[in-house]
Amino acid sequence: MTRSADRNHDITRVAVSTVIFTVRRTGDTISLSLPLVRRTRDPHEGQWALPGGWLDISESLDAAASRTLAETTGLQPSYLEQLYAFGAVDRSPSRVVSIVYWALLRQDDVDAQVAAHAAAGDAPENVAWFDATDLPGLAFDHNDIVDYALWRLRNKVGYSRIAHGLLADEFTLAELREVYEAILRRRLDPANFRRQAEGSGTLIPTERFRTGSHRPARLYRYNRDVELADHGPLGVRA
């Protein structure tokens, strides 16, 4: 084969994938979950993979992330941010660099969007939800990608309001603590968490309460006037 012919096969393609997290409740237990798509063609036919697709020459990376996520899962996230670029030479039979995004979506939004697609008769196929910390063997290097996304999420939750992407606009401190516990995979002392949350300056108490079988719990919202981190000149898409 000539060197010119080699060049014709030496093509690097760019793909965009998204790790989208939500917090799902089963009884009294909540866990961090994500959707996966079963592949219908080689390579890795029949294996689960992250939702994604090829970058179109005419679209931005952000637009490609939103489009491919909607096409494969039907979901539109409340939080979307570029995570990392994965480009190991042997990660795919052909040369592929994946630009990976991560997204957060509230469970009620997931349920509403899934129901809307079901009613319209256009629900995406081959999609299932998995516990983010108990995944099967995924296609390509997608297990490593999820592990990295979990590491970033657990680090970022300590200095940003990223947990808000998994909560309603108003929430109780117990609901906020449950989200932190699901992300960090450990129990947090309720009294200590309350002191830290109320002393952070990032929460605003409202005059409304969540009522139920227990004592009414005050509802809070995030103080959007407080920036918890310097995102630099390019900012962050959220």
Side-chain angles (χ1 to χ4, degrees):
M1 184 179 290
T2 66
R3 186 172 181 81
S4 176
D6 280 339
R7 287 198 190 97
N8 291 334
H9 291 274
D10 187 21
I11 298 174
T12 298
R13 299 196 67 184
V14 178
V16 178
S17 298
T18 302
V19 184
I20 180 167
F21 292 119
T22 194
V23 170
R24 298 171 70 88
R25 180 179 293 277
T26 305
D28 293 330
T29 303
I30 67 171
S31 59
L32 200 63
S33 303
L34 78 167
L36 298 174
V37 180
R38 190 185 293 277
R39 290 184 58 80
T40 58
R41 61 182 181 274
D42 283 329
H44 303 292
E45 181 178 2
Q47 280 190 268
W48 294 100
L50 292 169
W54 299 113
L55 174 68
D56 189 274
I57 194 171
S58 63
E59 65 184 344
S60 69
L61 290 171
D62 285 5
S66 296
R67 174 184 59 80
T68 56
L69 183 62
E71 288 175 351
T72 53
T73 68
L75 298 174
Q76 295 180 325
S78 57
Y79 177 93
L80 184 64
E81 180 183 342
Q82 195 172 131
L83 175 69
Y84 200 72
F86 292 81
V89 173
D90 59 352
R91 64 184 304 270
S92 176
S94 58
R95 188 73 172 98
V96 176
V97 173
S98 285
I99 309 300
V100 179
Y101 281 72
W102 62 337
L104 303 179
L105 194 58
R106 303 167 187 167
Q107 181 57 48
D108 57 346
D109 287 337
V110 172
D111 294 340
Q113 291 180 27
V114 169
H117 284 292
D122 60 358
E125 299 179 349
N126 305 313
V127 178
W129 287 83
F130 292 80
D131 186 320
T133 61
D134 187 24
L135 298 178
L138 305 183
F140 308 107
D141 55 355
H142 289 190
N143 286 96
D144 294 335
I145 292 174
V146 174
D147 286 344
Y148 183 75
L150 285 169
W151 177 83
R152 281 283 300 275
L153 179 63
R154 288 166 182 158
N155 278 273
K156 190 164 186 174
V157 76
Y159 66 84
S160 76
R161 60 173 60 87
I162 195 171
H164 185 229
L166 299 167
L167 288 162
D169 290 336
E170 294 183 353
F171 47 86
T172 67
L173 290 182
E175 291 168 343
L176 179 62
R177 175 171 50 82
E178 285 182 328
V179 168
Y180 272 74
E181 289 177 340
I183 292 173
L184 299 173
R185 294 202 74 198
R186 59 185 174 87
R187 298 300 299 270
L188 300 174
D189 179 75
N192 286 338
F193 183 84
R194 173 178 288 275
R195 281 195 298 271
Q196 292 174 4
E198 291 182 330
S200 67
T202 63
L203 301 182
I204 297 175
T206 74
E207 298 303 316
R208 289 171 290 280
F209 292 82
R210 177 92 70 226
T211 58
S213 57
H214 301 288
R215 185 177 65 182
R218 184 180 294 277
L219 292 170
Y220 290 75
R221 61 181 177 84
Y222 272 105
N223 183 357
R224 296 182 180 274
D225 293 332
V226 176
E227 283 296 332
L228 302 185
D230 181 1
H231 301 305
L234 295 181
V236 150
R237 180 180 177 185

